[in-house]
Amino acid sequence: MANLKSGSGVSLSAALVVILNLACPTSGAVEGVSKRMAEANSDHPRLFATDAEWPALKDKVLGDPALKACNDYVIACADDMMALDLLKREKVGKRLLGVSRTCLRRVSYLAYAYRMTGSEVYLKRAERDMLAVTAFEDWNPSHFLDVGEMTAALAIGYDWLYAALSPESRDAIRTAIADKGLKASFGKHGWIKADNNWNPVCHGGMVLGALATLESDPDLSQQVVARAMENVPIAMREYAPDGVYPEGPGYWLYGTTFNVLLIDALESALGSSFGLADLEGFDRTPGYYLHSAGPSGLFFNFSDSGSRSDASPAMHWFATRTGDPGLLWREKGLLDSLAEQTPEGDGSASRLLPFLLVWGQPLGKLEPPQTLHWKGAGRTPIALHRTAWTDDATFVGIKGGSPHTNHAHMDIGSFVLEMDGVRWGIDLGAQGYDSLESKGVDLWNRAQDSERWTVFRLNNFSHNTLVVNGALQRVDANAPITAFSDNSETPFTIVDMATAYQGELDAAMRGVRLYGESVLIQDEIAAPDRPTHVRWGMVTNATVSMDGSHATLEQDSKTVSLELLAPDGVAFKIYDTETPPRDYDAANPNTRMIGFETDLDPKASQTLRVYIHSGAAVEPGPGSVPLLDW
């Protein structure tokens, strides 16, 4: 191996050379990357669009009303950045991530604005922000997501602004990318072979840094890219077979966007993604993301996923790549809404929004997707049903899987439900990590008896599923979808939840089924050889009135009813979710759980049936049909 050098030409220490050798992937991967790098474009920019391609990109953006409105929003945000203070190395708990993300937003917006307008005010402001973070003592490698995003930010700015930066600035930025980014990535880091979002984010940032600076230290860049080609597939295998992202749609937006950045950077700079774009399930994953949002626009926010998101640049990349504009059915509305938002320099819109314009195509008139029902297998199997692609359609999503998955909750069998444009059955979502870590909660240990499962929002006591004998679901559960129908007359999904209640129930099957615009939730359970107590629950923001086995929910001037069809003689109850039991739990204002309780004799079986329909009047509901006969 050639003697590695830093961006300033100073030789690396012998110790670091040893580390790089130990971390080096197979020689075959290195040779493939080396060949491509030797043939790479030596000019800048080389990432995502070359100098010759930017004029056509500009014509595309300015020639389409929706893209132009987004472009104008990005540039207005860049204008708003001019008066902002320079970034400081200020951590929140163990994370510098907020600063890294702010830097990525500023640099991508400002560099894009400069490429589109030629105005030096954007160049100078981006240069100041990049130089400010190059002066940090480090980018917090103990929490390497921070380094991944910061390196991505400087790589984009360095590459897109290269010709206009002063030689001194280029040298400072290049040296920081190498020393605080690339070299810091070697050693013992769990993300290198992780199967979660850390893998594409950290490898993605390192690859962008390596490709942006490859001429200054080709050996180091080769090591970084070859390592990524060997290890990124570990995380991308999670998309197989159907594209479901195990950590939920919110983390899909994070991990998959960086996966797309990584692939597109490789293809633009080296002419190949080395097979990453062709891995099983990756071409299906935009379908998962599309279907995961209900008519309200809110996601089925299982695990630590959020329920809301900004426009997704990655979805525009997939739509362009597949030639399927229907993937942008939800995205078009989000793009249109930008015209109503006040531009903010450090606002909430996607920090990578300029890439929507780089990857997107003119939208024109979109037709709704053809598929109403979607199922995906894999580590976290989910199914999603809707009656139409209209704002007032009925929508229900249900999941299986395991609480042991990264970022997972004890939410096996949980569902969300929408009717008439309102989300009635909700997931409370994740609690802010620092709010728990700062109080000493051992948040990331997923063992059965760990402190993580005492957090109210993370266990099954707060989810739309069953609680049996007051016990937690089993961390080692693996609940599959055992039946699914996308027949327009009888759409349904059945999940086998038995492993989630091992030791508490001998059998636990849950089915969700559409009857026109109404929904049936049916559980079939069997007790072991002792008396068993079961609680059924659904969390809602609605106000609730109850009359025995009938309940009326009101929200946003709309009404739905719940009919408790089975078991007989059981009445609905309300359970408090606003004030969780422990002082480190977050409050959940304006929420409550509607549910009921039932007792089973030893070895007894029982069916639980809840029918949910629009309006306040009592409806008899569909006749009782065993799940096996659905």
Side-chain angles (χ1 to χ4, degrees):
M1 182 178 71
N3 184 37
L4 301 180
K5 296 189 179 293
S6 69
S8 61
V10 179
S11 296
L12 292 176
S13 69
L16 184 54
V17 172
V18 170
I19 291 172
L20 292 179
N21 275 319
L22 291 173
C24 181
T26 64
S27 60
V30 173
E31 289 171 4
V33 169
S34 178
K35 183 176 184 299
R36 290 281 183 175
M37 283 188 162
E39 300 168 350
N41 179 12
S42 61
D43 298 328
H44 292 274
R46 65 171 70 100
L47 299 181
F48 312 110
T50 65
D51 221 19
E53 292 168 334
W54 273 94
L57 190 158
K58 184 175 181 179
D59 290 343
K60 174 194 74 176
V61 167
L62 300 183
D64 178 74
L67 295 181
K68 184 180 183 303
C70 182
N71 170 84
D72 294 346
Y73 176 84
V74 169
I75 291 177
C77 287
D79 290 334
D80 198 57
M81 293 173 183
M82 296 302 162
L84 298 177
D85 293 336
L86 290 175
L87 294 170
K88 298 178 181 178
R89 193 184 183 282
E90 297 175 335
K91 294 168 62 177
V92 176
K94 65 182 180 182
R95 296 171 179 83
L96 189 67
L97 191 54
V99 177
S100 296
R101 289 174 170 175
T102 300
C103 185
L104 181 54
R105 175 183 168 88
R106 289 190 189 183
V107 173
S108 64
Y109 279 57
L110 291 163
Y112 173 87
Y114 173 72
R115 299 291 318 181
M116 290 294 285
T117 68
S119 173
E120 289 199 359
V121 295
Y122 304 119
L123 163 72
K124 295 301 181 184
R125 178 64 212 213
E127 188 174 26
R128 290 178 63 210
D129 279 312
M130 289 192 288
L131 291 175
V133 300
T134 64
F136 290 1
E137 61 185 88
D138 60 35
W139 294 337
N140 200 36
S142 62
H143 190 261
F144 210 85
L145 287 178
D146 312 5
V147 183
E149 295 216 30
M150 192 76 85
T151 305
L154 266 64
I156 292 165
Y158 180 82
D159 184 62
W160 283 10
L161 304 175
Y162 183 88
L165 292 170
S166 70
E168 295 79 13
S169 293
R170 283 201 299 266
D171 185 64
I173 296 166
R174 181 178 62 247
T175 300
I177 289 172
D179 292 346
K180 297 181 173 68
L182 308 186
K183 295 173 189 175
S185 73
F186 289 95
K188 189 176 182 180
H189 293 294
W191 58 264
I192 293 175
K193 295 185 179 295
D195 60 4
N196 55 51
N197 67 86
W198 281 63
N199 181 315
V201 174
C202 296
H203 280 298
M206 296 306 100
V207 167
L208 262 63
L211 294 176
T213 63
L214 66 86
E215 66 272 24
S216 65
D217 197 335
D219 285 345
L220 179 58
S221 293
Q222 175 182 301
Q223 294 273 350
V224 169
V225 176
R227 179 185 60 187
M229 296 310 95
E230 180 178 270
N231 293 298
V232 170
I234 296 172
M236 292 188 70
R237 282 196 286 270
E238 296 297 309
Y239 291 106
D242 300 315
V244 175
Y245 203 73
E247 299 168 78
Y251 273 95
W252 182 98
L253 190 66
Y254 189 33
T256 303
T257 300
F258 270 85
N259 235 312
V260 168
L261 276 175
L262 171 61
I263 288 170
D264 202 67
L266 288 167
E267 292 181 343
S268 59
L270 303 183
S272 173
S273 70
F274 302 91
L276 293 183
D278 301 319
L279 291 176
E280 182 184 8
F282 193 63
D283 62 337
R284 300 196 64 195
T285 199
Y288 153 76
Y289 186 74
L290 170 68
H291 284 268
S292 289
S296 67
L298 299 176
F299 285 117
F300 180 9
N301 56 319
F302 62 86
S303 300
D304 278 346
S305 175
S307 61
R308 301 178 184 272
S309 79
D310 299 304
S312 166
M315 286 296 281
H316 287 259
W317 183 87
F318 280 112
T320 297
R321 188 145 181 134
T322 62
D324 182 4
L327 293 173
L328 302 177
W329 181 252
R330 177 178 181 271
E331 298 300 316
K332 178 64 162 60
L334 293 172
L335 202 54
D336 290 342
S337 70
L338 283 176
E340 303 170 5
Q341 296 183 30
T342 301
E344 296 179 274
D346 286 343
S348 61
S350 169
R351 56 194 176 279
L352 293 167
L353 188 60
F355 286 89
L356 185 155
L357 299 165
V358 173
W359 295 329
Q361 293 297 317
L363 295 178
K365 179 177 172 58
L366 292 180
E367 296 295 328
Q370 298 299 305
T371 305
L372 298 175
H373 312 285
W374 194 94
K375 174 184 73 73
R379 189 184 293 237
T380 306
I382 69 165
L384 306 145
H385 298 279
R386 71 186 71 221
T387 56
W389 286 95
T390 56
D391 292 344
D392 60 351
T394 294
F395 169 84
V396 62
I398 185 170
K399 71 175 293 293
S402 172
H404 195 261
T405 303
N406 195 52
H407 285 293
H409 295 184
M410 288 181 168
D411 58 1
I412 304 306
S414 191
F415 64 91
V416 294
L417 173 70
E418 294 185 16
M419 288 180 178
D420 296 332
V422 175
R423 178 155 292 188
W424 302 99
I426 69 169
D427 189 305
L428 293 173
Q431 182 171 336
Y433 303 149
D434 186 65
S435 72
L436 294 164
E437 292 169 342
S438 63
K439 295 176 181 178
V441 176
D442 185 9
L443 183 58
W444 303 109
N445 179 356
R446 295 195 292 272
Q448 184 69 41
D449 60 352
S450 71
E451 200 169 22
R452 175 179 178 84
W453 306 120
T454 67
V455 179
F456 183 67
R457 290 194 187 182
L458 305 187
N459 60 43
N460 48 302
F461 294 93
S462 68
H463 283 93
N464 302 340
T465 188
L466 304 179
V467 176
V468 183
N469 297 324
L472 297 171
Q473 289 185 340
R474 297 295 307 175
V475 170
D476 56 0
N478 182 18
I481 291 174
T482 57
F484 171 82
S485 170
D486 58 3
N487 184 299
S488 60
E489 299 298 319
T490 58
F492 68 83
T493 296
I494 299 173
V495 177
D496 185 349
M497 306 188 298
T499 57
Y501 300 101
Q502 187 174 10
E504 307 296 339
L505 289 172
D506 282 353
M509 303 288 289
R510 166 163 284 190
V512 297
R513 182 170 177 174
L514 294 181
Y515 285 90
E517 299 291 329
S518 303
V519 175
L520 176 68
I521 311 293
Q522 180 164 317
D523 294 294
E524 295 177 2
I525 57 178
D529 58 358
R530 65 179 185 277
T532 300
H533 183 79
V534 178
R535 189 197 78 180
W536 185 102
M538 184 186 85
V539 181
T540 186
N541 293 123
T543 57
V544 181
S545 58
M546 297 173 294
D547 182 9
S549 60
H550 173 80
T552 301
L553 279 60
E554 296 186 35
Q555 185 177 346
D556 298 341
S557 302
K558 305 288 180 65
T559 302
V560 300
S561 291
L562 276 66
E563 314 291 349
L564 178 44
L565 305 181
D568 293 332
V570 176
F572 281 119
K573 297 181 179 181
I574 292 294
Y575 304 90
D576 177 29
T577 56
E578 285 197 321
T579 53
R582 293 174 175 81
D583 60 0
Y584 49 72
D585 282 315
N588 305 298
N590 191 36
T591 69
R592 57 213 50 89
M593 176 182 282
I594 180 171
F596 61 90
E597 297 173 38
T598 183
D599 291 297
L600 284 73
D601 292 330
K603 290 297 182 180
S605 297
Q606 195 171 77
T607 298
L608 319 178
R609 303 175 72 237
V610 178
Y611 181 61
I612 308 170
H613 61 87
S614 182
V618 176
E619 287 189 9
S624 181
V625 178
L627 292 177
L628 287 176
D629 295 331
W630 276 19

